[in-house]
Amino acid sequence: GKKIAPPRDARSTPTPAPRDAMTPGPATDPKAGTPAVPPDAMEAKAREADPQGLEIKRVLLAKKVVDRKPEGQASAFTLADQRVYCYVDAKNVKGPERFIRVVWHHNGKVFHKVKLRVGVGHVWRTWAYLRLRKSHVGNWRCGIFNEQDQLMAAQAFTIAE
């Protein structure tokens, strides 16, 4: 398929990285700018199980990913960190191949969405990242959603100058 360059602010790299795994692009939600899920409700709602058996084993926020592993885990970042990675360990034993969406919320509003592939297997590692800019200072939340827009997991973090 044809590759589309993602916005400069957010990119994704699935692991393993099949050629057509990335489908990044600008948020297509006509309601962008409004919360998809109220931030306070994210953690409570995230306890629901995926009906097809997709499991999000863990979500980590990190300063970088090296050899497909997160490094510099944190919940507070500064502009000097340059990037924030939302790293996801998923399990999809039953198959078929699935897709998750990483939704970045900034100060309670949807900022960007990235679609990531989750192949069939016991361990599937994938991640999206945010390239930090001055306008990104504030409160953030990284939500992981399945194809039915069901929240699977979420992590809150802050970005300071």
Side-chain angles (χ1 to χ4, degrees), residues 95-115:
E97 166 181 290
R98 301 284 301 275
F99 289 89
I100 57 172
R101 270 186 311 116
V102 175
V103 181
W104 301 91
H105 288 82
H106 181 219
N107 292 328
K109 295 184 183 194
V110 173
F111 177 80
H112 187 71
K113 300 175 184 182
V114 180
K115 184 178 175 182

Side-chain angles (χ1 to χ4, degrees), residues 24-62:
T28 54
D29 185 354
K31 296 182 265 175
T34 59
V37 174
D40 298 349
M42 273 195 172
E43 281 78 13
K45 198 174 172 201
R47 289 177 179 76
E48 298 173 15
D50 177 80
Q52 287 85 35
L54 174 67
E55 292 179 55
I56 302 300
K57 302 306 272 179
R58 66 182 178 152
V59 176
L60 301 173
L61 300 167

Side-chain angles (χ1 to χ4, degrees), residues 134-157:
K134 277 192 175 193
S135 61
H136 295 164
V137 170
N139 296 313
W140 286 81
R141 197 168 299 255
C142 181
I144 311 300
F145 293 82
N146 66 10
E147 300 96 327
Q148 292 77 37
D149 287 329
Q150 176 186 355
L151 181 71
M152 304 290 293
Q155 287 287 338
F157 64 101

